Amino acid sequence: MTDTNNTPGADGGDAVVSAFNAVGADYIFCSSGSEWAPVWESLARRHRDGEPAPEYLDLTHETVAVGMATGYGLVKRRPQGVLLHAAPGLLQGSMAVHGALLAGVPMVVTSSESTTYGDGPGQDPGGQWYRNLSIVGGPHQIAQPFTKWSNEAASVHTLPTMIARAAELSWRAPAGPAYLNIPLEILLEDWDGREAKPIVPPGSTHSSPEEVDPVAQLIREAVNPVIVTETAGREAGGFEALVAFAEAWNIPVVEPDSAVCGNFPRTHPLHAGSDIGPWMDEADLILLVNCRAPFYPPSRRPSKATIVVIDEVPQRPHVVYQVLFADKYLEGNVANTLRQLAKRAKDLDVAVVTARRAAQEERHADEQAAIAAVEAKAAQAEGIDPVLVAATLRGLLDGQDAIVVDETITHSRVVKRHVQTSDPDSYFYVQGGLGQGMAVALGVKLAAKERPVVLTIGDGAFTYNPVIQSYDASNAYELPLLIVVFNNRVYKSMNLNHRRFYPEGAAAETGEWLGTDLHRLPRLAQFAEPFGMHTETVDAPDALAPALERALKAVAEGTTAVVDVLVTR
């Protein structure tokens, strides 16, 4: 730490703001709590005096605060600050914090509690801490299972460096949220002005030539290699590096259903769809690139393939059960490793590579023909098929540099297959539980204000979201979204599981399907009307494209648009 002149009246709130400045946070995402008055006072003073501070976002739900930090971090890949209220606020936001852990997004999440309960010297913290806000063991104990690192600040003098340490830990691989409990008494304590040293981006790790060369030789000798990836595109430069690697060696790329971001252009001839099944017996080399769970069930092992895992942290510490069947690991920075391998694409067997490329181009052409056939059928169907919605979106978003955030379940494969995103940071799937999609999309929009952001969401997922609070944030911070609801009036995935587990059960006999019916919900677009947003409800195929066109125009003009599409399945 470095000594600086103390600002008269400076306290722990100033230490927090100073630390987030040192961290380089662009934003503090806050769901308000009574402990944060010292931070608010520091921000007010800095605004008055023209001193630097991260931009403060006043948000009205914990999921919105954490989810927006997640969406922002998916694009910017730098830690931001999140302030929640005590243990209850942490508990309310815990699903979104866990989602950030799964998504690999760095952030520093903080909340507070009292340590004196009014019996200590200094200002009265308030009786609410004694009566109903405090948790035995502290909120940092609660946060341990769903954060990368969890601790408590023990002194105002170490507070800035504790925040900086949390940020540095969150940014290092595997990136994820870190949590810090900051007791209210420390926030109110006088601060001597010692600040944290600004943090710098993580250095990159590298696989050595001695490690890369044997893998390059395995690829050179392979006849039927395949790349399988879930999150290569999440890494800085990973999307571009994967394209260069696949093209250099002419290797097909599979993005399985477990892929959670755009990793490879879906229109590229080397894109081999989402089904690893055909490769389980055919491939002689499988390259798992940032792929945490490639096989399901986990014991389903490829029959003859050598398996190379390319991942900075292949054994994910937050994954409870993970089976990779690795024969070799390359554990350096993924983008760098892929670039090293691409440079080694020399002395190839031209006949083998040519045959491999031709076979994949034929598979890709067959897939594109199948997609076209499915879309033609959907266009002729009565009612609105989900395929028609996705295909229409693809046409309208073509050339718009749009970002799709997806929180569908039943229709997630349809969205991936038919929207066909093809650019870096153009597709993200929400992680860790339904109810975060709107917030994540708002955070993505905050990070990429110049790009259209589309949230595709099921009606069931929609009802899990803090809808009112998300619309409030959209208006308050001028973050217009296009929200497209795939509304089949049912929790379809739950219904499918019931039917799968009990195909001849009592529910199948009587038609009493519990836990799935959403027909009783009102028109979902209506919730946006009090906020002055553009709303449409569509139930006819010929009305779909015009409605989406009007909605995109409204978004371009600065207004969130909600299009509730009544789909047939």
Side-chain angles (χ1 to χ4, degrees):
M1 300 200 318
T2 56
D3 292 332
T4 62
N5 293 327
N6 189 14
T7 301
D11 58 18
D14 294 288
V16 169
V17 176
S18 169
F20 279 122
N21 265 335
V23 165
D26 301 317
Y27 291 94
I28 294 175
F29 300 84
C30 181
S31 176
S32 298
S34 54
E35 66 265 48
W36 298 121
V39 170
W40 298 334
E41 180 64 19
S42 175
L43 288 168
R45 179 183 58 77
R46 287 166 181 263
H47 295 159
R48 180 197 65 192
D49 298 343
E51 297 177 0
E55 188 170 343
Y56 174 85
L57 300 184
D58 213 349
L59 305 164
T60 53
H61 195 282
E62 290 83 356
T63 297
V64 176
V66 180
M68 286 186 65
T70 298
Y72 190 84
L74 285 170
V75 177
K76 294 296 187 179
R77 301 177 174 88
R78 301 195 310 271
Q80 306 299 312
V82 178
L83 311 184
L84 305 178
H85 175 42
L90 175 63
L91 288 168
Q92 181 73 266
S94 61
M95 181 184 69
V97 179
H98 181 241
L101 180 69
L102 296 180
V105 173
M107 64 179 68
V108 179
V109 180
T110 64
S111 70
S112 185
E113 68 173 25
S114 174
T115 54
T116 66
Y117 309 107
D119 277 343
Q123 296 195 57
D124 179 11
Q128 71 272 23
W129 302 96
Y130 176 57
R131 290 190 295 269
N132 68 353
L133 288 182
S134 295
I135 296 288
V136 174
H140 48 292
Q141 185 177 37
I142 294 173
Q144 283 181 345
F146 52 84
T147 57
K148 183 180 175 182
W149 178 84
S150 180
N151 211 333
E152 179 180 39
S155 165
V156 72
H157 306 299
T158 59
L159 175 58
T161 298
M162 286 287 278
I163 291 175
R165 171 167 165 72
E168 289 192 317
L169 282 166
S170 78
W171 209 354
R172 265 66 189 173
Y179 173 80
L180 189 64
N181 173 26
I182 310 175
L184 177 55
E185 287 79 358
I186 288 178
L187 288 170
L188 292 167
E189 189 176 345
D190 289 343
W191 174 49
D192 62 10
R194 287 182 292 177
E195 298 178 332
K197 182 181 182 298
I199 67 172
V200 296
S204 62
T205 57
H206 298 263
S207 295
S208 68
E210 291 77 14
E211 295 168 312
V212 175
D213 286 341
V215 173
Q217 187 59 31
L218 286 174
I219 302 172
R220 193 173 290 110
E221 294 170 355
V223 175
N224 256 334
V226 65
I227 298 164
V228 185
T229 183
E230 292 175 340
T231 60
R234 186 181 65 193
E235 312 301 328
F239 188 102
E240 297 88 343
L242 181 59
V243 172
F245 169 56
E247 289 181 340
W249 294 90
N250 280 290
I251 304 176
V253 178
V254 173
E255 288 185 286
D257 290 334
S258 52
V260 297
C261 63
N263 303 290
F264 196 82
R266 286 194 165 256
T267 54
H268 196 290
L270 288 174
H271 196 285
S274 60
D275 185 9
I276 193 176
W279 302 93
M280 296 296 285
D281 293 325
E282 296 176 10
D284 54 358
L285 177 65
I286 296 178
L287 300 147
L288 300 179
V289 181
N290 264 29
C291 198
R292 59 188 173 171
F295 313 117
Y296 189 82
S299 58
R300 182 192 183 199
R301 184 171 191 155
S303 62
K304 61 183 179 182
T306 298
I307 298 174
V308 176
V309 174
I310 301 172
D311 197 322
E312 192 165 9
V313 187
Q315 296 295 336
R316 306 291 171 86
H318 60 267
V319 175
V320 176
Y321 182 63
Q322 186 180 19
V323 181
L324 299 175
F325 297 121
D327 295 299
K328 190 173 288 291
Y329 289 102
L330 289 180
E331 297 189 38
N333 173 270
V334 167
N336 179 69
T337 300
L338 295 176
R339 286 192 288 265
Q340 288 192 56
L341 287 169
K343 291 177 182 177
R344 286 163 168 79
K346 301 173 182 176
D347 303 321
L348 307 183
D349 187 321
V350 176
V352 169
V353 171
T354 301
R356 183 163 72 224
R357 176 79 185 210
Q360 172 51 32
E361 288 181 349
E362 183 177 351
R363 282 190 293 265
H364 184 75
D366 290 343
E367 168 65 1
Q368 294 302 306
I371 288 172
V374 170
E375 291 179 357
K377 182 178 178 181
Q380 298 301 316
E382 291 186 11
I384 302 176
D385 191 277
V387 168
L388 180 63
V389 183
T392 304
L393 275 174
R394 183 185 71 241
L396 293 173
L397 297 177
D398 185 37
Q400 299 298 310
D401 194 27
I403 304 173
V404 176
V405 177
D406 188 20
E407 197 178 29
T408 62
I409 298 295
T410 304
H411 303 117
S412 61
R413 294 179 183 177
V414 170
V415 171
K416 288 179 182 177
R417 190 184 190 205
H418 295 277
V419 174
Q420 294 193 332
T421 55
S422 297
D423 299 309
D425 292 336
S426 60
Y427 174 84
F428 298 105
Y429 190 78
V430 177
Q431 295 287 281
L434 296 177
Q436 306 170 63
M438 289 186 183
V440 172
L442 287 167
V444 168
K445 182 65 176 179
L446 184 68
K449 292 184 177 180
E450 73 287 355
R451 299 176 66 182
V453 176
V454 181
L455 172 65
T456 53
I457 186 169
D459 52 324
F462 183 94
T463 60
Y464 281 121
N465 274 259
V467 174
I468 302 303
Q469 298 91 334
S470 298
Y471 288 162
D472 171 65
S474 174
N475 275 357
Y477 299 106
E478 298 180 349
L479 301 171
L481 306 174
L482 170 58
I483 300 173
V484 181
V485 184
F486 286 67
N487 188 347
N488 57 9
R489 284 80 74 202
V490 65
Y491 282 122
K492 191 68 173 180
S493 63
M494 303 178 194
N495 182 256
L496 290 173
N497 270 343
H498 192 158
R499 293 174 184 270
R500 180 163 61 92
F501 296 147
Y502 302 98
E504 299 178 0
E509 180 183 345
T510 64
E512 184 183 11
W513 301 106
L514 301 176
T516 64
D517 186 17
L518 296 178
H519 280 87
R520 65 179 182 268
L521 294 178
R523 286 199 304 116
L524 299 183
Q526 284 181 323
F527 294 99
E529 291 173 0
F531 293 88
M533 295 173 173
H534 181 93
T535 64
E536 303 252 5
T537 299
V538 186
D539 61 2
D542 58 356
L544 177 62
L548 290 173
E549 287 176 353
R550 290 190 295 269
L552 280 168
K553 183 175 184 293
V555 171
E557 293 171 352
T559 301
T560 284
V562 183
V563 182
D564 184 15
V565 185
L566 307 185
V567 294
T568 55
R569 59 185 177 95

